[in-house]
Amino acid sequence: MPAVLYDFDGLLIDSETAGLLSWQRVYAEFGHELDLAHWLSETEAGRGPCMPTERLAELVGKPVDWEAVERRRIVWRDELLVARPGAEDHLAEARRLGFDLAIVSNAPDWWIRQRLDSAGIAPELFEVIICKTEGIARKPAPDAYLAALRELECAAGDALAFEDSPVGIRAARAARIRCVAVPNMVTAHFDLSAADVTLPSLAARPLAEVAGALLTAGCPGVRERSPDGR
């Protein structure tokens, strides 16, 4: 069965934008400006989440209660942690069309499930969730995508990946999966040209149209599912 494989952070949930804005607010609280170039370089390299506390400590130059700072930052971040525009409709369309769905992420399982719950997205929508775990190399290695294909029993030519960053795009393409880039406010700064298609949002084009153009099997067409979505 054809499948749609979704990255998580920055693609379904706008965590990269939330992280950046919350850290910019922390820096502003201390009268400084976040080094955006450093932040972007860390994100582009896939070393996130970026935690530029040491850089701020050097600027402040005096003792700071960093635990209290982090508590405030998390509150600010969580206020911004929402599903990206079009994400819920995109998932619903994929289910209506009969695709199997997977999340393929470098994030830990607890984070993915916590954030899905807070965004009102049921984990049961996904046949497979591949996350940060021992034995699976992080993106840009293709391991996580290859694991998803194995669990779904799906050929690479029948799968479509949605990613927001160069690291994720490289991972999908290394697994020989067609990839659609959907950049967020942060990753829009990066070169995403390795993707087969780049869209400004998940709502920009119908999934049926994109899949029909990119997948070997085209679009599978609507098939009935049981009440639990499977």
Side-chain angles (χ1 to χ4, degrees):
M1 175 61 62
V4 182
L5 314 179
Y6 295 93
D7 178 45
F8 188 70
D9 285 300
L11 188 282
L12 291 179
I13 304 295
D14 209 359
S15 50
E16 289 175 353
T17 299
L20 172 60
L21 294 178
S22 66
W23 272 108
Q24 286 178 326
R25 184 167 175 177
V26 168
Y27 270 65
E29 185 180 57
F30 287 94
H32 294 282
E33 185 174 343
L34 178 72
D35 183 346
L36 182 59
H38 174 258
W39 179 280
L40 293 175
S41 69
E42 291 292 294
T43 304
E44 186 172 18
R47 290 190 288 266
C50 186
M51 302 290 286
T53 307
E54 289 185 9
R55 285 176 169 254
L56 181 55
E58 293 173 1
L59 293 170
V60 173
K62 62 182 180 181
V64 172
D65 184 348
W66 292 112
E67 289 187 3
V69 170
E70 180 64 1
R71 285 196 296 270
R72 292 198 300 275
R73 188 191 72 83
I74 292 299
V75 171
W76 300 334
R77 182 204 68 186
D78 287 357
E79 291 173 352
L80 300 168
L81 276 173
V82 296
R84 286 194 62 195
E88 294 172 84
D89 288 343
H90 199 276
L91 292 168
E93 182 187 4
R95 298 305 277 174
R96 286 196 304 271
L97 291 170
F99 287 99
D100 285 336
L101 306 186
I103 289 174
V104 181
S105 173
N106 281 341
D109 183 74
W110 69 265
W111 170 263
I112 293 171
R113 293 181 184 277
Q114 183 184 89
R115 290 303 137 200
L116 286 173
D117 181 66
S118 66
I121 299 173
E124 292 75 24
L125 278 173
F126 305 93
E127 276 74 24
V128 172
I129 295 178
I130 303 294
C131 57
K132 179 182 179 182
T133 188
E134 186 175 349
I136 297 182
R138 289 170 57 88
K139 300 172 188 177
D143 298 39
Y145 274 110
L146 294 173
L149 293 177
R150 285 194 299 272
E151 291 200 28
L152 292 170
E153 298 182 349
C154 179
D158 293 334
L160 187 60
F162 282 80
E163 283 279 357
D164 69 287
S165 70
V167 166
I169 293 167
R170 291 202 300 273
R173 299 303 288 133
R176 300 184 181 277
I177 298 171
R178 296 280 190 170
C179 187
V180 180
V182 187
N184 54 57
M185 188 184 84
V186 175
T187 59
H189 291 271
F190 305 150
D191 178 7
L192 305 178
S193 60
D196 296 278
V197 175
T198 299
L199 301 177
S201 77
L202 287 167
R205 286 176 64 185
L207 175 59
E209 179 183 313
V210 176
L214 295 181
L215 290 186
T216 300
C219 185
V222 177
R223 63 183 171 94
E224 293 296 323
R225 292 184 180 273
S226 60
D228 66 358
R230 296 182 181 274

